[in-house]
Amino acid sequence: MEEDSRDFYDSEEIGEAVRRFKQMVKDKQTNYFDVFEIEGIVDYFLDEGKISMANIAVDNGLELHPSSIALQIKKAQLLLVDGKVEEALDIIRVIEQIEDSNADIYLIKGSALIMLGMVDEAIEAYEQSIFHNYDEEDELLYNIGITLGQAGETKKAVSFLERAHQTNLQNEQVLYELAYYCDKDGLDDKSINYYNKYLDIDPFNASVWYNLGITFNRIGKHEKAIEAYDFSIALNEDFVQALFNKANALSNNNQHEEAIKCYQEYLEKDQENDDAYCYMGECYLNLERYNEALVYYRKAIRLNKNNSNAWYGSGLIMWIENQLSESQILIKKAIKLDDENPDFWLMYGKINHELNQYDQAESAFDMTTTLDPDNREGWIAYAEMQYERGMLQKSIDILKKAQKIIAGDSDINYRLTAYLLENNEEHSATDYFKIALKADFNGYRDLFDYYPKAQQNESIKQLIKEYQSTKY
């Protein structure tokens, strides 16, 4: 009945009601408004973000119509906006006893319960809302999905949004959010699929092409990312972030010359982005144009002295050019700014190793392997240093620890085989050699580089023959 009555009020009439209400507040008078006018006025102020005015309107309305369920629901909604969750629930529980078939009651109840962290109870309330809903079901499911997503319940958000999509396959808003939350939940193929479904309906949305580019770039499909960013830029030539991301994708695709041009084009529009200068420096570094790389790293630092990657890149160039003391200072600065970056610690370990500052190198390698235990390079660099120092057993212990974490890594297992053979532990060495052969048979010659005497070892030769026979 209330919904039918509200249909008589068009936007022009609500606009007039809002004007009268504003004048009433200004004049500090009390005028009469019916329930539907109050609802319209509250919604208007909510849309405008004027919460205090919305509260004044709903309180005024409840003075005029104290038994109105619709206005009590609005009051509960405003209490939620103000973060007064328990007060909102108190109102909802009272009116739930009076009118237990109103979808809006359960929708607000679910949102309140979500804010209290009571997710399962919230879902029950949401299902009640869906059961009693008489409006467009996809819109209700969409609103529930968004609320869950904003609360960090990404999987549940995806579930409700998928139901919304099945209810209305053409709802672009649902497709957009569904793709977004699938992306957040790591469901890359689903995310791409939903973005493409959106683009089938509206191929001229620059933001959707942009989001699609982000997903493609993250999963390593850089050429598709570049194409998506190109569409985004073509549709909105002022979309500078799409230009920046396109440059990143070109760099990730090893198209460093093209990436540099793209960064330059971006910097014509935004000259204050230190990351753009830093990434240009990285492109020049990959092209082995070290002087130019250093120029751009320094530009990044001038703009932002806290850009840890620019300090790291500068230190890396100094290391390449064998200026170890300068490199050490620069990498140390990068670590001071970001002490949880394993790449920084790895480089710091290598530099200290080369400077024969073994205690500092050990600490750095320990940090590297703690922060990124799946990175073989950190373990191998650590083991190599101890081996060069004549600490064979320590090298073996380091690689055994690494092998437990990265069990099937051929590089670690071939090197461990070499060290064990040198330590006269042939039986144990052959066990690790088998693992290495299984992972990468063609890499067995690396063993002879690490320990040339292995070429004369009968057990090693026999295992190579056995595994070779299975390859043909």
Side-chain angles (χ1 to χ4, degrees), residues 132-370:
H132 293 294
N133 178 60
Y134 297 104
D135 293 330
E136 294 178 359
E137 190 172 332
D138 58 318
E139 288 300 320
L140 176 59
L141 288 162
Y142 166 82
N143 288 326
I144 293 170
I146 293 302
T147 304
L148 288 164
Q150 290 171 344
E153 296 291 334
T154 312
K155 281 186 170 57
K156 289 182 172 64
V158 169
S159 175
F160 277 92
L161 288 168
E162 284 184 327
R163 286 167 64 181
H165 175 57
Q166 290 304 315
T167 303
N168 180 359
L169 298 176
Q170 299 301 307
N171 189 319
E172 297 171 27
Q173 200 174 25
V174 169
L175 283 167
Y176 185 94
E177 297 296 343
L178 189 47
Y180 170 77
Y181 281 111
C182 282
D183 180 75
K184 283 196 75 172
D185 202 35
L187 304 170
D188 299 318
D189 290 340
K190 274 191 171 186
S191 177
I192 291 165
N193 180 46
Y194 287 125
Y195 278 134
N196 280 325
K197 282 185 176 183
Y198 184 106
L199 292 167
D200 286 341
I201 299 168
D202 175 14
F204 302 107
N205 189 311
S207 295
V208 174
W209 283 110
Y210 172 76
N211 289 348
L212 187 58
I214 290 173
T215 305
F216 277 133
N217 193 47
R218 193 185 62 252
I219 64 174
K221 295 186 176 181
H222 304 305
E223 289 184 3
K224 284 187 173 291
I226 294 161
E227 183 182 353
Y229 290 133
D230 276 336
F231 277 115
S232 184
I233 295 161
L235 290 165
N236 180 1
E237 61 183 16
D238 295 322
F239 203 158
V240 291
Q241 192 59 42
L243 190 60
F244 181 73
N245 282 20
K246 179 188 173 183
N248 293 342
L250 286 163
S251 178
N252 291 335
N253 203 41
N254 296 317
Q255 294 174 251
H256 300 299
E257 295 279 8
E258 294 90 337
I260 288 167
K261 291 175 184 176
C262 200
Y263 283 126
Q264 287 171 335
E265 187 179 348
Y266 168 82
L267 285 165
E268 288 175 7
K269 300 180 179 184
D270 179 7
Q271 297 176 10
E272 301 301 311
N273 189 326
D274 55 293
D275 283 333
Y277 287 109
C278 184
Y279 298 156
M280 278 185 75
E282 190 176 327
C283 288
Y284 281 117
L285 176 63
N286 285 311
L287 292 168
E288 298 183 4
R289 292 160 61 177
Y290 302 127
N291 288 337
E292 289 162 287
L294 205 54
V295 166
Y296 283 97
Y297 282 134
R298 285 172 178 164
K299 283 185 177 183
I301 292 167
R302 277 198 294 274
L303 280 171
N304 178 12
K305 64 181 180 181
N306 294 321
N307 189 318
S308 59
N309 287 311
W311 288 105
Y312 172 74
S314 302
L316 192 57
I317 291 169
M318 293 296 101
W319 177 71
I320 290 167
E321 295 185 344
N322 204 35
Q323 297 182 42
L324 298 181
S325 296
E326 292 86 344
S327 177
Q328 184 188 46
I329 292 167
L330 293 165
I331 299 297
K332 194 171 183 178
K333 176 68 175 177
I335 289 171
K336 189 175 180 181
L337 293 167
D338 180 5
D339 63 0
E340 293 189 0
N341 190 313
D343 292 336
F344 295 0
W345 284 107
L346 176 59
M347 181 49 56
Y348 194 59
K350 289 179 177 180
I351 293 164
N352 282 294
H353 173 198
E354 292 181 37
L355 289 169
N356 298 325
Q357 296 178 4
Y358 298 117
D359 288 345
Q360 285 180 249
E362 281 190 1
S363 297
F365 287 134
D366 276 332
M367 283 297 296
T368 305
T369 54
T370 299

Side-chain angles (χ1 to χ4, degrees), residues 30-34 38 59-67 71:
T30 302
N31 295 340
Y32 179 84
F33 296 89
D34 65 32
I38 293 292
D59 289 341
N60 180 270
L62 283 168
E63 284 181 16
L64 293 167
H65 312 283
S67 62
L71 292 183

Side-chain angles (χ1 to χ4, degrees), residues 1-11 13-18 20-21 32-44 57-58 61-62 64-65 68-72 74 102 104:
M1 180 70 182
E2 287 185 345
E3 292 298 325
D4 291 340
S5 300
R6 196 181 305 176
D7 288 341
F8 287 105
Y9 288 83
D10 58 25
S11 59
E13 290 172 305
I14 292 298
E16 174 59 23
V18 169
R20 287 195 296 115
F21 183 81
Y32 179 84
F33 296 89
D34 65 32
V35 170
F36 309 108
E37 286 177 317
I38 293 292
E39 284 188 273
I41 292 165
V42 171
D43 287 338
Y44 169 84
V58 80
L62 283 168
L64 293 167
H65 312 283
S68 168
I69 297 296
L71 292 183
Q72 289 179 58
K74 287 290 181 190
N102 188 314
D104 290 340

